[in-house]
PDB file of all heavy atoms in Angstrom:
ATOM      1  N   THR A 761      -8.460  51.605  22.535  1.00 80.00           N
ATOM      2  CA  THR A 761      -7.404  51.414  23.523  1.00 80.00           C
ATOM      3  C   THR A 761      -7.653  50.135  24.315  1.00 80.00           C
ATOM      4  O   THR A 761      -6.755  49.332  24.526  1.00 80.00           O
ATOM      5  CB  THR A 761      -7.331  52.618  24.483  1.00 80.00           C
ATOM      6  OG1 THR A 761      -7.108  53.798  23.705  1.00 80.00           O
ATOM      7  CG2 THR A 761      -6.224  52.454  25.496  1.00 80.00           C
ATOM      8  N   TRP A 762      -8.879  49.945  24.753  1.00 82.00           N
ATOM      9  CA  TRP A 762      -9.235  48.774  25.554  1.00 82.00           C
ATOM     10  C   TRP A 762      -9.566  47.555  24.703  1.00 82.00           C
ATOM     11  O   TRP A 762      -9.263  46.430  25.083  1.00 82.00           O
ATOM     12  CB  TRP A 762     -10.416  49.095  26.471  1.00 82.00           C
ATOM     13  CG  TRP A 762     -10.012  49.942  27.627  1.00 82.00           C
ATOM     14  CD1 TRP A 762     -10.112  51.299  27.724  1.00 82.00           C
ATOM     15  CD2 TRP A 762      -9.403  49.510  28.838  1.00 82.00           C
ATOM     16  NE1 TRP A 762      -9.598  51.719  28.921  1.00 82.00           N
ATOM     17  CE2 TRP A 762      -9.174  50.644  29.628  1.00 82.00           C
ATOM     18  CE3 TRP A 762      -9.041  48.264  29.336  1.00 82.00           C
ATOM     19  CZ2 TRP A 762      -8.593  50.569  30.887  1.00 82.00           C
ATOM     20  CZ3 TRP A 762      -8.466  48.191  30.596  1.00 82.00           C
ATOM     21  CH2 TRP A 762      -8.246  49.342  31.355  1.00 82.00           C
ATOM     22  N   CYS A 763     -10.213  47.756  23.573  1.00 85.00           N
ATOM     23  CA  CYS A 763     -10.636  46.661  22.690  1.00 85.00           C
ATOM     24  C   CYS A 763     -10.131  46.929  21.274  1.00 85.00           C
ATOM     25  O   CYS A 763     -10.899  47.376  20.407  1.00 85.00           O
ATOM     26  CB  CYS A 763     -12.155  46.536  22.692  1.00 85.00           C
ATOM     27  SG  CYS A 763     -12.863  46.023  24.262  1.00 85.00           S
ATOM     28  N   PRO A 764      -8.847  46.673  21.013  1.00 87.00           N
ATOM     29  CA  PRO A 764      -8.312  46.934  19.679  1.00 87.00           C
ATOM     30  C   PRO A 764      -9.095  46.169  18.607  1.00 87.00           C
ATOM     31  O   PRO A 764      -9.232  44.950  18.699  1.00 87.00           O
ATOM     32  CB  PRO A 764      -6.874  46.417  19.761  1.00 87.00           C
ATOM     33  CG  PRO A 764      -6.550  46.347  21.217  1.00 87.00           C
ATOM     34  CD  PRO A 764      -7.848  46.085  21.909  1.00 87.00           C
ATOM     35  N   PRO A 765      -9.640  46.863  17.605  1.00 89.00           N
ATOM     36  CA  PRO A 765     -10.449  46.196  16.581  1.00 89.00           C
ATOM     37  C   PRO A 765      -9.682  45.098  15.856  1.00 89.00           C
ATOM     38  O   PRO A 765     -10.252  44.066  15.507  1.00 89.00           O
ATOM     39  CB  PRO A 765     -10.822  47.319  15.610  1.00 89.00           C
ATOM     40  CG  PRO A 765     -10.496  48.595  16.292  1.00 89.00           C
ATOM     41  CD  PRO A 765      -9.531  48.300  17.385  1.00 89.00           C
ATOM     42  N   GLU A 766      -8.383  45.282  15.660  1.00 91.00           N
ATOM     43  CA  GLU A 766      -7.599  44.272  14.958  1.00 91.00           C
ATOM     44  C   GLU A 766      -7.520  42.966  15.751  1.00 91.00           C
ATOM     45  O   GLU A 766      -7.473  41.890  15.185  1.00 91.00           O
ATOM     46  CB  GLU A 766      -6.205  44.803  14.636  1.00 91.00           C
ATOM     47  CG  GLU A 766      -6.267  45.897  13.589  1.00 91.00           C
ATOM     48  CD  GLU A 766      -4.905  46.352  13.115  1.00 91.00           C
ATOM     49  OE1 GLU A 766      -3.915  46.134  13.832  1.00 91.00           O
ATOM     50  OE2 GLU A 766      -4.850  46.917  12.013  1.00 91.00           O
ATOM     51  N   ARG A 767      -7.530  43.059  17.054  1.00 91.00           N
ATOM     52  CA  ARG A 767      -7.509  41.845  17.889  1.00 91.00           C
ATOM     53  C   ARG A 767      -8.789  41.037  17.675  1.00 91.00           C
ATOM     54  O   ARG A 767      -8.754  39.810  17.529  1.00 91.00           O
ATOM     55  CB  ARG A 767      -7.341  42.216  19.361  1.00 91.00           C
ATOM     56  CG  ARG A 767      -7.151  41.012  20.260  1.00 91.00           C
ATOM     57  CD  ARG A 767      -6.774  41.402  21.664  1.00 91.00           C
ATOM     58  NE  ARG A 767      -7.802  42.206  22.291  1.00 91.00           N
ATOM     59  CZ  ARG A 767      -8.131  42.141  23.570  1.00 91.00           C
ATOM     60  NH1 ARG A 767      -7.507  41.320  24.376  1.00 91.00           N
ATOM     61  NH2 ARG A 767      -9.065  42.908  24.067  1.00 91.00           N
ATOM     62  N   ASN A 768      -9.928  41.716  17.605  1.00 88.00           N
ATOM     63  CA  ASN A 768     -11.191  41.014  17.350  1.00 88.00           C
ATOM     64  C   ASN A 768     -11.209  40.404  15.949  1.00 88.00           C
ATOM     65  O   ASN A 768     -11.685  39.287  15.758  1.00 88.00           O
ATOM     66  CB  ASN A 768     -12.378  41.951  17.535  1.00 88.00           C
ATOM     67  CG  ASN A 768     -12.610  42.318  18.983  1.00 88.00           C
ATOM     68  OD1 ASN A 768     -12.130  41.654  19.889  1.00 88.00           O
ATOM     69  ND2 ASN A 768     -13.322  43.393  19.197  1.00 88.00           N
ATOM     70  N   LEU A 769     -10.695  41.140  14.955  1.00 90.00           N
ATOM     71  CA  LEU A 769     -10.654  40.626  13.588  1.00 90.00           C
ATOM     72  C   LEU A 769      -9.744  39.398  13.493  1.00 90.00           C
ATOM     73  O   LEU A 769     -10.091  38.403  12.847  1.00 90.00           O
ATOM     74  CB  LEU A 769     -10.167  41.710  12.622  1.00 90.00           C
ATOM     75  CG  LEU A 769     -11.074  42.926  12.467  1.00 90.00           C
ATOM     76  CD1 LEU A 769     -10.368  44.017  11.674  1.00 90.00           C
ATOM     77  CD2 LEU A 769     -12.378  42.533  11.803  1.00 90.00           C
ATOM     78  N   LEU A 770      -8.589  39.455  14.135  1.00 92.00           N
ATOM     79  CA  LEU A 770      -7.672  38.320  14.111  1.00 92.00           C
ATOM     80  C   LEU A 770      -8.249  37.113  14.853  1.00 92.00           C
ATOM     81  O   LEU A 770      -8.033  35.968  14.457  1.00 92.00           O
ATOM     82  CB  LEU A 770      -6.315  38.708  14.698  1.00 92.00           C
ATOM     83  CG  LEU A 770      -5.475  39.627  13.819  1.00 92.00           C
ATOM     84  CD1 LEU A 770      -4.312  40.216  14.619  1.00 92.00           C
ATOM     85  CD2 LEU A 770      -4.961  38.885  12.593  1.00 92.00           C
ATOM     86  N   SER A 771      -9.000  37.366  15.901  1.00 91.00           N
ATOM     87  CA  SER A 771      -9.655  36.285  16.627  1.00 91.00           C
ATOM     88  C   SER A 771     -10.660  35.575  15.718  1.00 91.00           C
ATOM     89  O   SER A 771     -10.712  34.340  15.668  1.00 91.00           O
ATOM     90  CB  SER A 771     -10.359  36.846  17.865  1.00 91.00           C
ATOM     91  OG  SER A 771     -11.131  35.850  18.487  1.00 91.00           O
TER      92      SER A 771
END
Side-chain angles (χ1 to χ4, degrees):
T761 302
W762 285 96
C763 294
E766 291 187 339
R767 187 171 61 144
N768 289 342
L769 295 170
L770 288 167
S771 173

